[in-house]
């Protein structure tokens, strides 16, 4: 069984985001970049399936600048067997990402594609669903548990009312939620071994994909700073402020 794991290069979740002075986007100068946390969970799950003897090969894929090779090497240090970088300096929207991944799936023929449910930079939560639609594959989104049963996938997913269990035929698309697993840290020997693993580089044009944007970001701004709280002397004063100042009561 072959598993494809798309990963995204994003600002590290521990870094405080800074907005550019012209409000055109997020300032990425001298900012630590890492693998998207939900994609780390996807890598971990793929590696666990391989360690359990359920998978034979794991391929990590990233779409982004040349520096994204660093995140692919991280994925290979965790356990991916090889990597593919679709190199572009453009900001690629979810539909274009899904089309690129479809082209790679058509070439690599994986049995499962496991990816994070969303990226922490744009929070789109669209790529997995779009990829499933383009391929015509079944999908299990927001997976909190994954089991291989009888040649198919048993997926426990989180919904508003609790948990839902699905049985999916292979090949299938899985998007990961936070409670699926806890990603491991790459060990130094594995980091050194990852440097020797195969990493192919190509462009969207090589795959015949147009990444021209369909949306334009007009403005990026920091959230308004919270005002300090005040103490009120009575319930009547509180109700008055909620009515007259906060306008949350009528």
């Amino acid at each position: 069984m072959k598993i494809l794991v798309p990963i995204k290069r994003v600002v590290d979740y521990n870094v405080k985001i800074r907005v550019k002075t012209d409000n055109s986007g997020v300032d990425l100068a001298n900012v630590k970049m890492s693998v998207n946390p939900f994609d780390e969970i996807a890598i971990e799950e793929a590696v666990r399936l391989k360690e359990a003897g359920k998978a034979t090969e794991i391929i990590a894929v990233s779409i982004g600048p040349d520096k994204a090779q660093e995140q692919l090497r991280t994925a290979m240090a965790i356990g991916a067997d090889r990597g593919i970088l679709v190199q572009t300096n453009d900001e690629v929207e979810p539909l274009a990402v899904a089309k690129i991944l479809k082209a790679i799936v058509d070439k690599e023929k994986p049995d499962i594609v496991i990816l994070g449910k969303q990226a922490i930079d744009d929070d789109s939560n669209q790529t997995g669903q779009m990829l499933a639609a383009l391929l015509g594959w079944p999908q299990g989104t927001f997976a909190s548990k994954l089991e291989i049963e009888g040649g198919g996938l048993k997926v426990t997913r989180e919904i508003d009312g609790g948990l839902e269990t699905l049985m999916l035929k292979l090949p299938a698309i899985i998007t990961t939620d936070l409670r699926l697993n806890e990603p491991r840290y790459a060990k130094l020997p594995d980091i050194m071994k990852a440097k020797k693993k195969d990493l192919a580089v190509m462009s969207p044009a090589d795959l015949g994909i147009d990444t021209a944007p369909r949306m334009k970001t007009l403005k990026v701004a920091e959230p308004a700073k919270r005002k300090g709280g005040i103490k009120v002397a009575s319930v009547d004063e509180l109700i008055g402020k909620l009515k007259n100042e906060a306008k949350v009561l009528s």
Side-chain angles (χ1 to χ4, degrees), residues 72-83 190 194 197-199:
L72 285 170
R73 294 294 179 189
T74 298
M76 289 188 279
I78 293 172
D81 297 291
R82 57 189 173 96
D190 295 327
K197 291 184 178 180
D198 182 48
L199 198 164

Side-chain angles (χ1 to χ4, degrees), residues 187-203:
K187 299 176 182 177
L188 181 58
D190 295 327
I191 294 173
M192 301 306 293
K193 290 177 183 177
K195 294 181 180 180
K196 298 181 180 180
K197 291 184 178 180
D198 182 48
L199 198 164
V201 179
M202 61 186 70
S203 69

Side-chain angles (χ1 to χ4, degrees), residues 72-94:
L72 285 170
R73 294 294 179 189
T74 298
M76 289 188 279
I78 293 172
D81 297 291
R82 57 189 173 96
I84 299 173
L85 173 62
V86 182
Q87 187 174 329
T88 175
N89 292 319
D90 298 332
E91 185 176 343
V92 186
E93 295 172 357

Side-chain angles (χ1 to χ4, degrees), residues 5-13 28 32-43 60-65 67-72 74-75 84-86 88 90-95 97 101 114-127:
V5 184
I7 65 173
K8 187 175 184 181
R9 181 177 188 262
V10 298
V11 176
D12 189 90
Y13 71 94
L28 300 180
K32 181 183 178 183
M33 307 294 284
S34 300
V35 178
N36 178 51
F38 289 104
D39 298 338
E40 286 185 327
I41 294 170
I43 298 166
V61 181
S62 189
I63 303 165
K67 291 182 179 179
Q69 291 192 35
E70 178 184 346
Q71 282 67 47
L72 285 170
T74 298
I84 299 173
L85 173 62
V86 182
T88 175
D90 298 332
E91 185 176 343
V92 186
E93 295 172 357
L95 180 57
V97 172
L101 293 177
I114 307 178
L115 64 161
K117 69 173 185 178
Q118 64 195 76
I120 62 172
D121 52 0
D122 57 18
D123 279 329
S124 293
N125 181 19
Q126 295 176 338
T127 302

Side-chain angles (χ1 to χ4, degrees), residues 46-231:
V47 172
R48 291 188 184 190
L49 288 172
K50 186 178 179 182
E51 290 173 342
K54 305 292 186 181
T56 55
E57 185 180 22
I58 301 170
I59 307 166
V61 181
S62 189
I63 303 165
D66 182 65
K67 291 182 179 179
Q69 291 192 35
E70 178 184 346
Q71 282 67 47
L72 285 170
R73 294 294 179 189
T74 298
M76 289 188 279
I78 293 172
D81 297 291
R82 57 189 173 96
I84 299 173
L85 173 62
V86 182
Q87 187 174 329
T88 175
N89 292 319
D90 298 332
E91 185 176 343
V92 186
E93 295 172 357
L95 180 57
V97 172
K99 289 181 177 179
I100 290 172
L101 293 177
K102 180 186 182 298
I104 294 174
V105 167
D106 289 341
K107 179 181 177 181
E108 295 290 343
K109 308 295 183 185
D111 300 281
I112 308 174
V113 178
I114 307 178
L115 64 161
K117 69 173 185 178
Q118 64 195 76
I120 62 172
D121 52 0
D122 57 18
D123 279 329
S124 293
N125 181 19
Q126 295 176 338
T127 302
Q129 294 89 328
M130 287 178 171
L131 179 59
L134 292 173
L135 290 169
W137 288 9
Q139 59 180 303
T141 57
F142 315 133
S144 60
K145 189 176 181 181
L146 182 62
E147 302 169 273
I148 295 181
E149 286 190 6
L153 286 178
K154 182 180 179 181
V155 180
T156 303
R157 60 187 302 269
E158 300 188 351
I159 58 175
D160 290 340
L163 299 175
E164 180 181 63
T165 302
L166 304 175
M167 283 299 300
L168 306 180
K169 293 181 180 179
L170 295 179
I173 306 292
I174 302 296
T175 70
T176 62
D177 214 334
L178 284 172
R179 278 159 288 281
L180 181 59
N181 61 52
E182 184 174 343
R184 70 191 72 185
Y185 289 100
K187 299 176 182 177
L188 181 58
D190 295 327
I191 294 173
M192 301 306 293
K193 290 177 183 177
K195 294 181 180 180
K196 298 181 180 180
K197 291 184 178 180
D198 182 48
L199 198 164
V201 179
M202 61 186 70
S203 69
D206 294 334
L207 299 171
I209 306 300
D210 178 15
T211 59
R214 289 171 166 77
M215 297 184 295
K216 181 180 179 180
T217 300
L218 300 179
K219 183 179 180 182
V220 176
E222 293 185 5
K225 293 183 178 179
R226 294 183 62 181
K227 297 179 179 179
I230 60 172
K231 292 183 178 180

